[in-house]
Amino acid sequence: MHILVYLEERNGQIRKPSLEAITTAKSLGATKISAAIVAASTSAMVEQARGLDVAEVFVVDEPRLAEYSSHATAKALYQAVLKSGAEVIIMGATGRGKDLAPRLTVYFNADGGYVPDVTSFTTEDGKLVATHPIYAGKANAHIRVNVKYHVYTTRPNLWKASKDTPATPPTVTNVSATLEDKDFVEHTTAVTLSQGKLDVAEADIIVSGGRGMKGPEHWNLLEDLAGAFGAATGASRAVVDAGWRPHSEQVGQTGKTVSPSLYVAVGISGAVQHLAGMSSSKTIVAINKDPNAPIFNLVDYGIVGDIFEILPALTEEIKKIRAH
Ligand code: FAD
């Protein structure tokens, strides 16, 4: 099985979900792992890719892709896949991955099948079966692709980012993709992180606040705890709808799906739509004054009490522990 991993970049850096996808490919027993870069001015990315534990890197260097364009990127990536000979394509289920993977699959026509947001793989009769949560995480669909080309997006943070260095650096193969002006149907003009903070979808630790925080003026308490942990801050939809926090921080069915090592839910009741976005977190801690709050059915550690007493005390303790 030859697996090709699409390398997504942000500001010229290969993103963590792409490195995780390499680990996924290894865990599937690939006979060959390749990587693909589709971007403009790719030399810095190619340099990083030379340090990745893959056999070959296929590069489409296209000046018109200085910013992401989904149709054009999908078409160029399709050509890179054909050149590589890979039949399984994996990319992180990031905003871009979710956009690009189905468009790429369309190019394979009836020879391509796509499974989004995969959380694990098994094999059945020697064939891959991908697990994809459905109904807001209440059930799992186990999906087998029965055609030649498989396209998967894998949920960030469930596999470790590959840090292995190759015994021999990968071969770099340039692909001259045929792109016409009409392929640039739309164009991202810029991607900016809100306030330059850690992206909640990629963070290893998340401290999320809900309506129990009582208002945006108290968010400094949450940010202090997040700072002590080196965590990103998240939010429930109630808080985002109230305009207390930006939508980029929303966790849940209509926000981001996260799987950090540690998720701390502060003043969040645990509605099913919130749980849909964070229930695959490895360790879950909740602080809530209501001992019957549904979030407590899911947690590893629950603290029943008032946020405004607990948060400052907890922050102090974490700071002390991390200082050692
Ligand atoms: P609440 O439910 O009001 O909970 C606040 C909690 O804070 C309570 O449990 C309370 O006991 C506790 N509290 C209050 N004061 C204190 C204090 N001083 N100390 C300690 N604890 C305190 N929600 C999401 O989060 N993400 C989504 O993506 C999402 N998508 C949705 C999609 C649809 C189609 C629908 C219908 C809903 C969606 N929701 C989503 C909304 C969801 O149903 C809930 O309304 C929302 O999650 C509630 O947010 P909350 O927990 O912050 O607020």
Side-chain angles (χ1 to χ4, degrees), residues 210-212 214 236-238 250-255 267-269 271 273-274 288-290 305-308:
R211 197 147 40 193
K214 307 281 192 247
S236 71
R237 176 166 164 178
Q250 186 181 317
V251 173
Q253 188 183 326
T254 43
I268 293 178
S269 58
Q273 296 89 353
H274 188 81
N288 199 304
K289 68 177 182 187
D290 175 6
D306 188 342
I307 289 166
F308 299 97

Side-chain angles (χ1 to χ4, degrees), residues 202-226:
E202 285 176 34
D204 195 41
I205 304 179
I206 298 171
V207 178
S208 264
R211 197 147 40 193
M213 289 295 295
K214 307 281 192 247
E217 66 278 15
H218 299 130
W219 233 259
N220 61 319
L221 294 174
L222 202 97
E223 279 166 346
D224 286 350
L225 180 61

Side-chain angles (χ1 to χ4, degrees), residues 18-39:
S18 304
L19 304 179
E20 292 167 6
I22 294 174
T23 304
T24 314
K26 284 186 185 174
S27 72
L28 299 179
T31 48
K32 178 175 179 184
I33 302 175
S34 299
I37 295 170
V38 181

Side-chain angles (χ1 to χ4, degrees), residues 120-176:
S120 65
F121 286 96
T122 52
T123 49
E124 209 174 81
D125 305 329
K127 300 251 170 69
L128 282 183
V129 178
T131 301
H132 157 57
I134 53 172
Y135 300 123
K138 285 256 174 245
N140 287 313
H142 304 281
I143 304 171
R144 195 166 86 184
V145 175
N146 293 321
V147 287
K148 182 173 175 186
Y149 293 100
H150 300 203
V151 182
Y152 302 104
T153 54
T154 45
R155 185 178 285 191
N157 280 327
L158 292 183
W159 286 267
K160 282 203 166 11
S162 171
K163 291 198 175 118
D164 297 343
T165 45
T168 46
T171 319
V172 176
T173 304
N174 290 311
V175 181
S176 52

